[in-house]
Amino acid sequence: MKIRKGDIVLVMAGKDRGKKGKVRFAYPKDERLLIEGINIRKRHARARGTTRQAGIIELETPIHVSNVMLVCSKCNHPTRIGFRFLGDGRKVRLCRSCSEVID
Ligand SMILES: [Zn+2]
C-alpha cells in the first residue's frame, strides 16, 4: 500500500472532496482507508434496554485508496508517490513533487 496509517491525505472524490484527514487505519487487503472525520455515516440507533442510548451515531467508514492523494509531510503538497530502494535494500516512498523521501 502506498498510503499508511498516520499519513495525511487529501480526499479527491465523494462528498468529502477537498478535505484533509489523518489515516486512522489502513486495510491493505481491501485497499481502503479509515480517515479521521471523512466519510461519516449517520446511523439512527434505537435504545435497547438500558445498555444503549437512543440517538444518532456518527460512524467513519473506510474509503478506497484511489480516492485520496497523500499530502507530503515535507513540502505539504498533495502528491503522487514513487518508490526508491536504499543501499540497505529498504524500500522507501518518495514525493513526486519535492523528491524527498517520505518515510
Ligand atoms: Zn514533497
Side-chain angles (χ1 to χ4, degrees), residues 8-25:
I8 303 295
V9 293
L10 177 68
V11 179
M12 306 302 289
K15 66 179 166 72
D16 289 320
R17 183 171 39 208
K19 287 191 194 169
K20 282 181 194 174
K22 190 176 180 183
V23 177
R24 217 194 273 282
F25 288 110

Side-chain angles (χ1 to χ4, degrees), residues 3 9-14 16-19 31-33 35 38-39 62-70:
I3 294 171
V9 293
L10 177 68
V11 179
M12 306 302 289
D16 289 320
R17 183 171 39 208
K19 287 191 194 169
E31 298 188 301
R32 285 176 181 273
L33 306 163
I35 304 160
I38 302 296
N39 208 28
I63 66 170
H64 197 259
V65 69
S66 64
N67 292 333
V68 304
M69 277 182 97
L70 181 71

Side-chain angles (χ1 to χ4, degrees), residues 72-77 79 95-100 102:
C72 174
S73 53
K74 300 283 189 327
C75 66
N76 217 24
H77 285 289
T79 184
C95 171
R96 289 268 176 96
S97 301
C98 66
S99 299
E100 289 283 342
I102 294 170

Side-chain angles (χ1 to χ4, degrees), residues 83-102:
F83 288 101
R84 189 205 282 168
F85 287 95
L86 299 179
D88 60 5
R90 265 197 313 139
K91 190 179 173 185
V92 292
R93 297 180 300 172
L94 217 64
C95 171
R96 289 268 176 96
S97 301
C98 66
S99 299
E100 289 283 342
V101 172
I102 294 170

Side-chain angles (χ1 to χ4, degrees), residues 11-66:
V11 179
M12 306 302 289
K15 66 179 166 72
D16 289 320
R17 183 171 39 208
K19 287 191 194 169
K20 282 181 194 174
K22 190 176 180 183
V23 177
R24 217 194 273 282
F25 288 110
Y27 306 95
K29 208 175 125 200
D30 301 324
E31 298 188 301
R32 285 176 181 273
L33 306 163
L34 192 68
I35 304 160
E36 273 178 22
I38 302 296
N39 208 28
I40 291 174
R41 299 266 164 84
K42 285 181 180 167
R43 277 177 50 187
H44 297 264
R46 233 172 291 161
R48 272 183 206 151
T50 52
T51 53
R52 263 173 65 177
Q53 278 193 307
I56 298 167
I57 296 174
E58 293 194 342
L59 207 68
E60 289 159 345
T61 52
I63 66 170
H64 197 259
V65 69
S66 64

